[in-house]
Amino acid sequence: MDRKKRLLDGLMGWIAEQARIPRESSVSALDEAKLFEQQEAVIAASTRAVSLLGGAGARATQQRSALDGVREYLHRQSERLRELRAGVLPVKDALDRIKLIAFNAGLEGARLGEPTGTPLLLVAEEVRALVERGLEGAEAYAAHIAQLEAERDEALAELDQARSHAGAIANELLSAQSAQRQLSDEITSLGKQLERVTGTDPELAKSVTDAARHAEGLLAALAKLSSRAPGSTALEPLVPLISELKGVLRGLSRARGGGQ
Amino acid sequence: MSTPDPADSAPDAAPSTPSDAHLPREFKHGLVLSVPPGSLVFISAQVAERVIARPNVSPVPNSRLGMALIEGRVFPVVSLSPELTELILCRVNPHGYGLGGGGAAPTTESTTDELVALSGARVVASGKFLAVGRGVEHAGELVEPLDLLRLADG
């Protein structure tokens, strides 16, 4: 037991010592600055994604509302079709009655015999023929209404499906937006962790990156100028400053030692 | 009750009703009915009184007849099919007339005439039809006369 305890204590002590030993970092100040820059860019992109998802979710909800409106409209059309169908029945009934009257007139005309009953026979036949045409038209009208009702039922079924899909899309977009917000929060936490680990102020790192970029641009322009006018002495006073600037840039690009 | 068959009447016998007096021999007046499932029958104008639009028909128990109240009178109803149709009020003489063949019939209304309603048949046409044998021609088809008395007797 004593030996085990000594072994554990020794192991824990070694782990603690390793944690205290400063490590040589292969990351330069410029690398850290670029890391903060990237982290900011990811946060910006994530915020934009949240905004876009929110917009898409709102559109999906609007679409569902629009589909609800169409459903209402189709229900109103159902009422109209029912009324139209009911309107055909009295017409058909009246035409049937007129047809019977025509048959009875034909019978009377037949009983009266020729020539007395002939006009009645002719009128009866004419009325019967016209009534038949009217009944055919009423039947065709009723058939069209039945077809419209069938098509309306199909449209309602499709619409219900579309509403269901729109609702699902809206819910999924809201979930995606929530997940994206969570991601943004995690990235922000990551940035804070990065700040803590590197010990670098992000604003300072950004300024360093900007300054380094400007310095690199200046050096490149001066080098170009110098190559175009090799014998010129106008740049001679700048040579010490250029060297110093190069030294600073080299320092920023060099990997930092431990414990900065 | 036995009834004389109008088909037995002499083909050249003169018509005895006022309505037939001036008609050429080759025409008959009446109604053509459609009886489900799809046959046609002819009823003479001397038999068919009028067509009435669908009153209520009450079945008579233990009988294949029905009865209907029409204009305050009760008439027996003979069903040619179970389909609900208009009623055709027909005049039937128990002594053998009113067989729908357009044959010989009393010149005056007989006091023994009975009114019987037919249901289950739809009126297809009324008026004048070309006589063909005992029946008539309608839309290119031969239509046989309806034996109403046999139906009424059950």
Side-chain angles (χ1 to χ4, degrees):
Chain A
M1 197 66 178
D2 215 17
R3 272 176 68 188
K4 276 184 191 169
K5 189 174 179 308
R6 279 206 301 274
L7 187 61
L8 272 173
D9 285 343
L11 191 60
M12 291 305 292
W14 180 81
I15 290 170
E17 201 174 321
Q18 290 301 309
R20 278 196 298 273
I21 293 173
R23 286 187 171 31
E24 285 211 3
S25 172
S26 61
V27 176
S28 70
L30 276 177
D31 289 336
E32 283 173 8
K34 281 177 188 163
L35 206 55
F36 281 116
E37 215 175 48
Q38 278 173 340
Q39 187 241 347
E40 271 187 23
V42 169
I43 288 178
S46 183
T47 306
R48 187 153 185 274
V50 166
S51 171
L52 287 172
L53 284 169
R59 294 279 181 282
T61 307
Q62 281 171 0
Q63 185 185 37
R64 189 165 173 177
S65 295
L67 289 172
D68 285 341
V70 174
R71 196 169 205 281
E72 260 314 300
Y73 171 76
L74 282 175
H75 273 298
R76 284 201 301 274
Q77 292 308 307
S78 298
E79 283 302 313
R80 300 254 154 70
L81 284 172
R82 255 196 292 274
E83 284 165 20
L84 286 172
R85 190 160 25 92
V88 174
L89 295 174
V91 172
K92 283 174 72 175
D93 203 39
L95 287 171
D96 280 332
R97 295 288 178 116
I98 295 171
K99 197 162 78 166
L100 292 185
I101 292 168
F103 286 143
N104 285 325
L107 266 178
E108 280 307 312
R111 271 194 282 273
L112 289 172
E114 285 182 7
T116 317
T118 304
L120 197 52
L121 271 175
L122 292 172
V123 167
E125 181 52 31
E126 190 65 25
V127 168
R128 189 203 61 78
L130 288 169
V131 162
E132 285 291 339
R133 277 178 58 190
L135 281 170
E136 278 168 22
E139 287 292 335
Y141 182 73
H144 284 316
I145 291 174
Q147 195 180 357
L148 283 172
E149 283 177 327
E151 285 171 9
R152 177 221 55 209
D153 288 340
E154 277 179 28
L156 271 173
E158 295 281 333
L159 190 62
D160 282 338
Q161 207 174 12
R163 276 175 74 241
S164 172
H165 288 321
I169 288 170
N171 288 339
E172 281 172 21
L173 284 169
L174 284 172
S175 301
Q177 191 186 28
S178 172
Q180 191 65 39
R181 267 202 205 99
Q182 200 177 358
L183 180 65
S184 287
D185 293 342
E186 294 294 330
I187 291 170
T188 305
S189 299
L190 188 66
K192 289 192 173 82
Q193 184 71 2
L194 194 63
E195 193 181 328
R196 195 182 66 79
V197 166
T198 59
T200 306
D201 178 42
E203 288 301 319
L204 179 64
K206 193 176 169 193
S207 302
V208 164
T209 314
D210 288 342
R213 281 205 189 107
H214 284 306
E216 281 169 1
L218 177 62
L219 285 173
L222 288 173
K224 203 171 172 184
L225 185 63
S226 166
S227 71
R228 292 234 172 123
S232 170
T233 56
L235 293 177
E236 275 185 22
L238 289 176
V239 167
L241 286 171
I242 291 169
S243 299
E244 205 172 320
L245 199 54
K246 277 186 184 174
V248 167
L249 280 175
R250 265 198 298 273
L252 284 174
S253 301
R254 197 180 304 126
R256 292 203 274 180
Q260 184 166 350
Chain B
M1 180 184 298
S2 63
T3 57
D5 191 338
D8 293 339
S9 53
D12 291 327
S16 58
T17 63
S19 62
D20 289 343
H22 301 287
L23 279 177
R25 231 8 220 128
E26 56 272 13
F27 287 103
K28 289 181 182 176
H29 291 88
L31 297 175
V32 170
L33 309 179
S34 166
V35 182
S39 59
L40 296 177
V41 293
F42 172 76
I43 294 184
S44 161
Q46 287 123 15
V47 172
E49 278 285 310
R50 60 192 149 101
V51 184
I52 298 164
R54 279 174 280 174
N56 286 331
V57 177
S58 305
V60 174
N62 301 320
S63 164
R64 62 183 188 88
L65 295 178
M67 55 183 179
L69 180 67
I70 302 168
E71 294 167 0
R73 285 178 62 183
V74 176
F75 295 94
V77 178
V78 177
S79 292
L80 298 179
S81 78
E83 200 174 310
L84 292 176
T85 63
E86 54 269 19
L87 291 188
I88 299 117
L89 203 56
C90 300
R91 188 169 294 282
V92 176
N93 189 307
H95 297 295
Y97 303 113
L99 291 176
T107 55
T108 55
E109 199 172 291
S110 161
T111 53
T112 58
D113 281 354
E114 291 175 12
L115 285 171
V116 174
L118 289 181
S119 73
R122 293 199 180 278
V123 179
V124 173
S126 70
K128 194 165 76 172
F129 304 93
L130 188 66
V132 176
R134 292 180 60 230
V136 297
E137 185 196 315
H138 171 67
E141 261 187 73
L142 173 63
V143 183
E144 292 293 334
L146 180 69
D147 193 341
L148 190 58
L149 203 57
R150 190 175 299 158
L151 277 176
D153 282 345

